[in-house]
Amino acid sequence: MVAPTARVTTIERFILDQEEKYPEATGELSNLLYDIALAAKIIAASIRRAGLVNILGSAGATNVQGEEQQKLDVFANQTLTQALNHTGRVCVMASEEDETIIPVPDNYPVGRYVVLYDPLDGSSNIDVNGAVGTIFSIYRRVTTQGPGCLEDVLQPGCKQVAAGYVIYGSSTMLIYSTGQGVAGFTLDPSIGEFLLSHSRIVTPRVGRYYSVNESNFARWSKGTQWAVRGFHGDRPEEIRGKNSRYIGSLVADFHRNLLAGGIFMYPADTKNRHGKLRLLYECSPMAFIAEQAGGSATDGTRRILDIVPTELHERTPLVIGSREDVGYVADTLRRMGEE
Ligand code: AHG
Ligand code: MN
Ligand code: MN
């Protein structure tokens, strides 16, 4: 282990330094980001033990301490909710795991912010030791008094004040943006701190990878099929072929493409008319990060951040990543009359 030097920046230091640039900042948003970072460390510790569940007792069974073992998505959801609901910084929350909005309990103060999350993304990867993540999205409340309500939650992504994700991969990383670029932190488990590892993430304009679940190919629109054939290298006059990578965990697929350059798609198909991914917990926060890193995100025709949600668990097709590649898909759909 190395001794701390002036070059080591903890997430706390970084957030404070950012805040100092804004004299009007109250520190509330910074504290909210620490709350999320704390929840992420607790979730990371639990995920690291997931492989031991078979040895120590499976979900639903009791462990050696006589406590009930929880499924990780339930645990991650509770951890985030409990890290946020009593602080006085939040007026309402919403989670992919809860059917309705999550109010602040009666005995706690109500704050200015709204937090939405996908507590455990890519959860099918847990059983095979694959990468999973947490996605979060933060808005300012729009109502002016009382507890937060659905109106505070149903805001278009362009109104986000911050968004980010945590990837529990070979290391745990937290990536976030408050609208001034994208920064990345890597968890040093030996000291329990997120340390600045990527001070300004900029995604390549053209990517090396395309990521899409091709088992849905026959159910896609003609335009989507055409564009993906382009990625195969079948249309060299239109676009250079790419390498395929698909984990089945949005966070992990997006993260690789963000750093290395690439495009992720979850298009609509004849079974999933609006795609699979959720606007509020998955698409909007990732679109915010993509744009802040110089990339872009659309549903094929509309900018994701402009979509005004009408339902809590609304789904949308997603095309996200390197700007030119997303543009290629949008142009192809337009050309094929699929606007
Ligand atoms: P979640 O685990 O939160 O339900 O999300 C899973 C999502 C997303 O992470 C991933 O991109 C997509 O589902 C994969 O879906 P397919 O298995 O249909 O490819
Ligand atoms: Mn998800
Ligand atoms: Mn999930």
Side-chain angles (χ1 to χ4, degrees):
M1 201 190 298
V2 286
T5 69
R7 283 181 297 117
V8 174
T9 307
T10 62
I11 195 166
E12 185 175 4
R13 178 80 257 155
F14 185 87
I15 292 173
L16 276 173
D17 286 351
Q18 295 285 100
E19 192 186 296
E20 275 166 16
K21 296 180 193 153
Y22 299 91
E24 71 282 6
T26 61
E28 249 179 295
L29 180 62
S30 302
N31 287 325
L32 192 49
L33 291 165
Y34 304 150
D35 297 339
I36 293 171
L38 172 65
K41 286 193 268 185
I42 296 170
I43 297 168
S46 169
I47 287 172
R48 294 282 165 252
R49 291 180 61 77
L52 298 169
V53 163
N54 287 339
I55 303 166
L56 302 176
S58 61
T62 47
N63 65 16
V64 277
Q65 284 87 31
E67 296 158 343
E68 179 107 345
Q69 294 265 325
Q70 284 177 318
K71 285 185 72 172
L72 269 173
D73 38 15
V74 178
F75 176 81
N77 193 30
Q78 270 181 15
T79 302
L80 270 161
T81 306
Q82 286 166 8
L84 295 167
N85 69 3
H86 63 284
T87 59
R89 298 188 252 282
V90 169
C91 68
V92 67
M93 292 156 290
S95 162
E96 192 201 60
E97 294 290 327
D98 287 277
E99 214 170 300
T100 54
I101 55 172
I102 310 165
V104 170
D106 282 345
N107 45 335
Y108 293 123
V110 165
R112 292 198 291 158
Y113 289 100
V114 179
V115 189
L116 286 72
Y117 37 90
D118 177 354
L120 198 71
D121 174 68
S123 42
S124 66
N125 279 280
I126 281 285
D127 292 341
V128 294
N129 200 8
V132 289
T134 294
I135 309 173
F136 61 91
S137 165
I138 304 176
Y139 294 86
R140 233 171 246 118
R141 70 179 299 179
V142 288
T143 55
T144 50
Q145 55 190 355
C149 62
L150 194 59
E151 190 188 337
D152 296 307
V153 170
L154 297 183
Q155 299 190 52
C158 57
K159 299 278 186 201
Q160 287 172 107
V161 291
Y165 61 86
V166 184
I167 174 166
Y168 310 100
S170 43
S171 39
T172 297
M173 284 189 72
L174 189 152
I175 311 291
Y176 84 92
S177 174
T178 52
Q180 279 85 42
V182 181
F185 302 81
T186 303
L187 181 65
D188 181 340
S190 61
I191 57 169
E193 285 277 8
F194 279 107
L195 304 178
L196 182 65
S197 51
H198 297 67
S199 55
R200 189 168 185 111
I201 297 175
V202 176
T203 198
R205 286 185 68 82
V206 181
R208 277 195 274 158
Y209 300 117
Y210 78 97
S211 310
V212 66
N213 186 341
E214 294 215 43
S215 67
N216 296 324
F217 194 95
R219 290 190 290 271
W220 290 337
S221 70
K222 290 279 171 280
T224 302
Q225 291 180 340
W226 184 284
V228 170
R229 287 208 176 93
F231 296 146
H232 291 171
D234 293 356
R235 319 223 185 271
E237 67 292 355
E238 283 178 13
I239 189 166
R240 218 171 129 187
K242 298 188 187 299
N243 212 342
S244 163
R245 290 282 186 280
Y246 191 74
I247 294 171
S249 164
L250 170 65
V251 167
D253 281 309
F254 176 84
H255 182 72
R256 177 198 52 251
N257 293 353
L258 180 74
L259 297 185
I263 182 167
F264 173 95
M265 314 210 297
Y266 210 109
D269 60 52
T270 52
K271 263 208 296 204
N272 305 294
R273 300 241 165 235
H274 302 283
K276 175 180 182 188
L277 301 177
R278 317 275 181 167
L279 176 61
L280 289 173
Y281 319 107
E282 296 175 315
C283 303
S284 280
M286 290 314 216
F288 189 79
I289 296 288
E291 287 199 5
Q292 285 294 320
S296 65
T298 77
D299 67 353
T301 51
R302 284 178 300 174
R303 179 182 177 228
I304 291 287
L305 294 183
D306 287 338
I307 301 175
V308 182
T310 54
E311 268 175 58
L312 199 51
H313 293 291
E314 156 170 353
R315 296 172 200 266
T316 174
L318 177 66
V319 181
I320 189 167
S322 292
R323 183 167 286 272
E324 287 192 15
D325 299 328
V326 173
Y328 169 72
V329 174
D331 288 347
T332 305
L333 297 181
R334 200 171 307 124
R335 226 178 41 225
M336 314 260 304
E338 291 180 14
E339 285 174 272

